[in-house]
Amino acid sequence: IMQEKIQIKNLGHLGLIAGMIDELGIVECIDEHIGKKSDDKLLSYGELVKAMILNGLGYVNKQLYLVPKFFSDKPVHTLFKRDVKAEWFNDDALGRTLDVLYQYGVSELYQSISFKAMNILGLTLKTLHLDSTSFHVDGEYNRYSHNSDENRVPIKITKGYSRDHHPQLNQVVLNLMVEHQAGIPVWMKASNGNQIDTKEFATIVKEHIKAMKSDSLKELMLVSDAALFTKETLKYIAQNNIKFITRVPNKLKEAKTLLRHCSNGFYAIDDNYKAIETSIEYEGIKQRWILYKSTLASKREEKTVFKKLSKQSLDELNSLQKLSKKSFFCEEDAKAAFEAIKERLKSVQIVKATLKTIPKYKTRGRKKAGTKPDFYHYMWQFTYASNIDNFKNLVEEKSGLFILATNDLGISAKVLLDEYKSQQRVERGFRFLKSPEFLVDSLYLKKPERIESLLMIMTLSLMVYSALEYRIRKELKVNNETFPNQLKKPIQNPTTRWIFENFFAIHLLIMNNTYQIIGLNPLHRQILRLLGSSYEALYGICDSKMANAQ
């Protein structure tokens, strides 16, 4: 009797990823722009990019040279819908792909893919969020760089300001523009590790924002942090009829004036926020500046302030005690020392300060009545009290305050705040990209060119992740259905990560050339049904389509 040949392949959540890559047409778009392959290659560049996205979202933290191992127990014929082998996804093939992506231009290629994805998902580009973050890199990189294209200069891997508070490490910066509805990154650009955001954002707005505006879209809203609020950037924004929402730097003279005279005039816009509105013309642009005060932020800041204040109180008391023990040879020096300390006192209030005059004699022993001192010493004597109450009032007045600016003169304070707070979409994307389960926590590739390309792969992974979340949440709401969260409560906004975790235990059983999906439960079937028949086929629910996929 011939022994049955049995194989078990781990499908898990990878079918969802492969399905979304196919739905967004990422493979076809890449192959259309940079060509499929030469005669000696077994995989197209688009398929190799798909492999890197699957690896990146596989949550196993595998470097590129371990990709063949990653696919060794995966049903690659199902994921790629043709007969491929795990060993084809070797580091040479992946490295060549990264080189080709760089030579074409990763920002340009990514924008073509993202615009296609936006159309497929039915998203309209109305609001863009701009932000940047840094990634650590290890090793000496710039000596590997070679500039084969005179018009394309590789990024410089350098030390610089680190958003992760590791300025001693080499790093590279990733700039993203993310659309508002689904959190899809529509544009990406890698920059030098020592990027200054104010200068780079001005360049980005000048060179790339205009391309985002379609002929049918009259206005585009750009949301960013205070790095956007520069003279050059605001000037270009005004010239191109772009609306903006940004935070005003507190160091500006006009901002300081508004913060200084903000004791009265606040009105409540919700349970947490109060606001004061004002109109201003700054750099020739008519704007609305709205000063917000957050009760919750104020309480958080108070905790931080009072923690520092307790240390400051001890330091101030120690300073006064040292001063009270010090003797001076002249009254002027004593008063100068006292004034120097008095200016720095914030948490301690001096109730009474007495300068005592102490007679001194050159000779020892009891002195006769009427003997005049040879000279005098001067010493301070203090009575002091806590000044925390006054300082607390100051903290309560000034903490939790920030100013938002916009050139959309008709927007309400509540809507303006909500639009700015949605900047968390891009920040959430950065947290996702920096997750230790995603690709690599630090980048290990030797060439800056390949690091630039890998940042594009990472951004594509974020696109797929965000698109899946958007589609699942949308379908749950449209069909009035729910999905249980970690506490078994029905929700309509599950995260993609939670969906992935629910799909981890799904396998493909291969027995004598017959295929069977095992591990599917009603929750899996619900998600696959909502996503559509092409996703169901990847998990063998539609037998005819599953057969074609083999």
Side-chain angles (χ1 to χ4, degrees):
I1 299 174
M2 183 179 296
Q3 187 176 3
E4 291 183 340
K5 185 178 180 182
I6 299 175
Q7 289 182 294
I8 296 179
K9 299 292 185 178
N10 297 321
L11 178 58
H13 64 290
L14 296 180
L16 298 177
I17 300 168
M20 183 52 70
I21 294 172
D22 295 342
E23 181 179 343
L24 299 180
I26 293 175
V27 172
E28 293 77 10
C29 191
I30 291 173
D31 290 340
E32 178 184 343
H33 282 83
I34 64 178
K36 284 192 174 184
K37 58 185 178 181
S38 58
D39 295 338
D40 61 333
K41 291 189 177 68
L42 300 169
L43 296 161
S44 75
Y45 292 122
E47 288 175 319
L48 287 161
V49 168
K50 181 177 181 177
M52 286 186 272
I53 296 173
L54 286 164
N55 177 62
L57 291 173
Y59 295 105
V60 291
N61 201 358
K62 298 290 186 185
Q63 286 89 356
L64 289 185
Y65 68 91
L66 295 177
V67 170
K69 185 177 180 181
F70 169 77
F71 282 114
S72 63
D73 66 342
K74 307 296 187 299
V76 290
H77 56 287
T78 299
L79 297 173
F80 289 87
K81 297 182 179 180
R82 70 184 188 91
D83 190 16
V84 298
K85 300 184 183 300
E87 57 266 25
W88 292 359
F89 302 97
N90 56 68
D91 55 336
D92 287 337
L94 298 171
R96 286 195 303 269
T97 301
L98 294 177
D99 290 338
V100 170
L101 293 176
Y102 172 80
Q103 290 164 9
Y104 182 89
V106 294
S107 294
E108 296 86 346
L109 179 58
Y110 182 85
Q111 186 169 312
S112 298
I113 298 171
S114 69
F115 277 21
K116 180 178 180 180
M118 290 277 290
N119 290 330
I120 291 172
L121 294 172
L123 297 171
T124 302
L125 192 60
K126 293 182 178 179
T127 302
L128 275 176
H129 300 271
L130 172 63
D131 208 346
S132 65
T133 193
S134 57
F135 291 87
H136 306 156
V137 294
D138 295 315
E140 297 292 333
Y141 285 90
N142 293 317
R143 62 191 179 93
Y144 292 98
S145 177
H146 61 278
N147 186 14
S148 56
D149 185 349
E150 294 180 357
N151 297 319
R152 197 173 298 283
V153 180
I155 55 174
K156 292 182 179 179
I157 312 299
T158 63
K159 293 178 175 61
Y161 167 73
S162 176
R163 292 147 183 85
D164 293 331
H165 309 292
H166 294 288
Q168 75 280 7
L169 299 176
N170 288 328
Q171 57 192 13
V172 61
V173 173
L174 175 63
N175 300 286
L176 285 187
M177 281 192 280
V178 176
E179 62 81 34
H180 182 75
Q181 293 172 269
I184 302 291
V186 296
W187 180 86
M188 58 79 58
K189 180 185 178 184
S191 295
N192 300 338
N194 57 355
Q195 168 182 306
I196 300 174
D197 282 353
T198 51
K199 294 182 179 180
E200 186 66 21
F201 283 11
T203 303
I204 290 171
V205 169
K206 186 175 181 180
E207 296 181 359
H208 301 286
I209 287 291
K210 194 173 182 179
M212 301 290 176
K213 291 184 64 177
S214 63
D215 294 335
S216 60
L217 187 61
K218 294 182 179 180
E219 292 183 348
L220 179 68
M221 178 69 78
L222 179 62
V223 184
S224 185
D225 59 20
L228 187 73
F229 203 88
T230 64
K231 294 180 180 180
E232 181 181 355
T233 311
L234 292 178
K235 181 179 179 181
Y236 186 81
I237 285 175
Q239 292 173 347
N240 289 273
N241 194 31
I242 298 171
K243 299 296 184 182
F244 69 83
I245 295 173
T246 183
R247 189 161 179 164
V248 178
N250 289 341
K251 64 182 180 181
L252 290 182
K253 180 179 67 175
E254 294 84 352
K256 290 179 179 178
T257 302
L258 181 56
L259 289 168
R260 193 162 47 243
H261 301 94
C262 65
S263 299
N264 300 311
F266 281 104
Y267 68 91
I269 59 176
D270 59 25
D271 294 338
N272 181 26
Y273 289 97
K274 297 185 290 185
I276 294 176
E277 301 184 35
T278 183
S279 298
I280 189 172
E281 185 167 323
Y282 185 82
E283 293 300 321
I285 305 173
K286 292 182 179 179
Q287 304 175 31
R288 290 179 68 236
W289 285 16
I290 301 182
L291 174 64
Y292 294 92
K293 183 176 179 63
S294 167
T295 303
L296 295 177
S298 180
K299 290 180 179 178
R300 289 195 300 268
E301 290 177 21
E302 283 179 32
K303 290 181 180 179
T304 303
V305 168
F306 283 111
K307 186 177 180 180
K308 294 179 180 179
L309 186 61
S310 61
K311 181 180 183 303
Q312 184 173 328
S313 297
L314 291 175
D315 292 341
E316 291 179 5
L317 288 173
N318 288 333
S319 299
L320 288 174
Q321 288 173 0
K322 287 181 181 179
L323 181 60
S324 66
K325 294 177 182 179
K326 186 176 181 180
S327 60
F328 296 87
F329 289 101
C330 69
E331 189 174 348
E332 289 74 13
D333 289 346
K335 290 180 178 180
F338 172 66
E339 291 298 327
I341 288 181
K342 186 179 178 181
E343 290 180 359
R344 300 197 300 268
L345 297 181
K346 292 183 179 179
S347 60
V348 175
Q349 180 181 3
I350 297 177
V351 178
K352 184 178 180 181
T354 304
L355 184 60
K356 297 175 64 178
T357 304
I358 304 171
K360 293 291 182 178
Y361 301 90
K362 292 181 179 179
T363 58
R364 296 182 179 182
R366 187 186 296 269
K367 302 297 184 285
K368 294 180 181 181
T371 304
K372 292 184 178 181
D374 296 307
F375 55 92
Y376 294 91
H377 278 184
Y378 300 89
M379 296 184 71
W380 284 103
Q381 189 176 58
F382 299 112
T383 303
Y384 44 78
S386 171
N387 196 31
I388 290 181
D389 289 339
N390 293 334
F391 194 80
K392 181 180 179 181
N393 292 333
L394 180 63
V395 170
E396 289 177 347
E397 286 182 12
K398 302 302 180 184
S399 61
L401 296 174
F402 60 95
I403 304 170
L404 297 183
T406 181
N407 57 347
D408 186 347
L409 304 181
I411 193 171
S412 70
K414 181 68 170 70
V415 173
L416 175 63
L417 179 62
D418 290 342
E419 288 283 332
Y420 181 76
K421 288 170 68 175
S422 63
Q423 180 76 355
Q424 295 172 355
R425 287 187 178 278
V426 64
E427 293 168 358
R428 180 188 173 205
F430 286 140
R431 289 195 297 272
F432 165 79
L433 292 175
K434 292 189 173 188
S435 171
E437 301 96 349
F438 176 73
L439 280 174
V440 285
D441 188 32
S442 298
L443 306 179
Y444 294 91
L445 299 177
K446 290 184 176 180
K447 293 181 179 180
E449 295 91 336
R450 289 188 176 182
I451 288 180
E452 195 167 337
S453 297
L454 186 59
L455 286 172
M456 173 193 162
I457 302 297
M458 294 166 68
T459 311
L460 282 172
S461 300
L462 175 57
M463 174 196 292
V464 171
Y465 182 95
S466 301
L468 271 169
E469 189 166 276
Y470 172 74
R471 284 268 282 110
I472 291 171
R473 291 180 174 185
K474 179 182 177 182
E475 295 301 325
L476 284 170
K477 291 177 181 177
V478 168
N479 292 276
N480 197 26
E481 297 184 29
T482 61
F483 190 85
N485 66 6
Q486 291 89 333
L487 300 177
K488 309 297 183 184
K489 294 182 179 180
I491 58 173
Q492 291 186 317
N493 60 340
T495 64
T496 307
R497 178 60 192 267
W498 175 237
I499 298 295
F500 284 175
E501 289 183 11
N502 278 272
F503 272 71
F504 277 170
I506 300 174
H507 300 85
L508 175 64
L509 175 65
I510 305 174
M511 184 184 301
N512 291 336
N513 294 323
T514 61
Y515 300 85
Q516 181 181 355
I517 299 291
I518 56 177
L520 281 176
N521 64 37
L523 289 177
H524 300 143
R525 294 177 182 275
Q526 176 195 18
I527 294 298
L528 295 171
R529 171 177 54 78
L530 293 173
L531 288 172
S533 58
S534 60
Y535 292 85
E536 290 180 311
L538 284 163
Y539 287 86
I541 294 177
C542 300
D543 292 337
S544 60
K545 293 183 179 181
M546 180 66 181
N548 292 333
Q550 311 305 330

